Amino acid sequence: MRKRVGRERALGTRAPMTLPQGRDQRWSLDFVADTMASGRRCRILTLVDDFIRECLGLVVDTSLTGLRVARELDRVAQLRGHPCMIVSDNGTELTSNATLAWQQQRGVEWHYIALGKTMQNGFVESFNGRLRDECLNEHLFANLNDARQIISTPQSGAKPEQTLLMNEGIPESRSTRMRPSQRQVTKAMVWLP
């Protein structure tokens, strides 16, 4: 009987991480799950710059594969350039061959947090908690298009200077950041610690 050989998985680094010293040095990835009114589940890919604590992307879909994650990373990298490092957990989408190939082709270091140690990815976990509190728990999505629209557009009553779209970049100073109490969710959500 022939022994089955497992597939090649992305290994990444497990060494201690240093704090980023500038924008686009380290990004963090994670997923948030929610349920729509029909009972169907949806997933949200969140991508955060760890230095300026800006959300670089929110991708809503029912299924997000490693290939889709790589495509979304390329979309953000076209606007901002590739980061030096990406931090994520060990989910199957993030250890897939597509993600491994993306990481090797772009020369991006990938750091996987230790199993069960979500606080090693604390910046994106903090963002995910606020996203859940300020958006997901406040809305019941009728369908996937409704979820995409609500998550990707600012809430009513937002001032134009508070809306940060991905193609406009980041604010010049930290004083222009939005506070969580403003209940604003955009493609480039920024928050204060």
Side-chain angles (χ1 to χ4, degrees):
M1 185 177 211
R2 205 162 128 182
K3 184 177 179 182
R4 184 175 174 195
V5 179
R7 70 175 176 89
E8 181 181 351
R9 292 181 186 248
L11 297 176
T13 59
R14 296 227 189 232
M17 291 184 299
T18 59
L19 290 174
Q21 301 300 312
R23 67 179 269 181
D24 294 328
Q25 286 186 352
R26 187 172 78 198
W27 294 353
S28 294
L29 287 175
D30 201 11
F31 292 94
V32 180
D34 199 24
T35 305
M36 295 179 278
S38 64
R40 191 169 183 196
R41 295 182 55 89
C42 67
R43 299 185 77 198
I44 305 164
L45 170 67
T46 57
L47 176 61
V48 174
D49 184 313
D50 289 351
F51 180 70
I52 57 176
R53 298 188 179 132
E54 176 186 12
C55 177
L56 306 176
L58 293 170
V59 181
V60 183
D61 213 333
T62 54
S63 174
L64 293 163
T65 63
L67 193 58
R68 174 77 185 272
V69 170
R71 190 170 65 231
E72 295 300 330
L73 288 171
D74 277 336
R75 185 181 58 79
V76 173
Q78 285 179 347
L79 300 171
R80 302 179 62 103
H82 290 89
C84 299
M85 176 189 284
I86 293 179
V87 180
S88 72
D89 58 14
N90 297 290
T92 56
E93 305 88 357
L94 305 173
T95 58
S96 68
N97 288 329
T99 307
L100 177 63
W102 183 91
Q103 176 243 337
Q104 289 174 347
Q105 290 170 359
R106 274 80 175 168
V108 175
E109 184 180 354
W110 203 290
H111 181 90
Y112 292 103
I113 63 173
L115 293 173
K117 306 285 186 184
T118 57
M119 284 317 299
Q120 290 180 0
N121 205 3
F123 293 115
V124 76
E125 292 294 340
S126 174
F127 175 80
N128 289 348
R130 291 180 183 186
L131 175 67
R132 178 160 303 285
D133 291 343
E134 297 175 15
C135 181
L136 302 180
N137 290 345
E138 298 291 323
H139 298 281
L140 183 60
F141 305 123
N143 54 39
L144 196 57
N145 288 333
D146 186 35
R148 287 178 179 149
Q149 182 180 4
I150 290 173
I151 289 172
S152 66
T153 57
Q155 302 299 309
S156 60
K159 298 176 183 173
E161 65 270 12
Q162 294 171 334
T163 304
L164 303 172
L165 299 176
M166 292 180 66
N167 58 2
E168 293 175 343
I170 62 167
E172 293 300 316
S173 69
R174 290 181 181 243
S175 63
T176 61
R177 289 186 174 179
M178 296 179 294
R179 298 215 176 261
S181 61
Q182 294 169 320
R183 297 215 181 271
Q184 170 108 15
V185 180
T186 66
K187 286 186 179 177
M189 186 179 198
V190 180
W191 79 96
L192 290 174

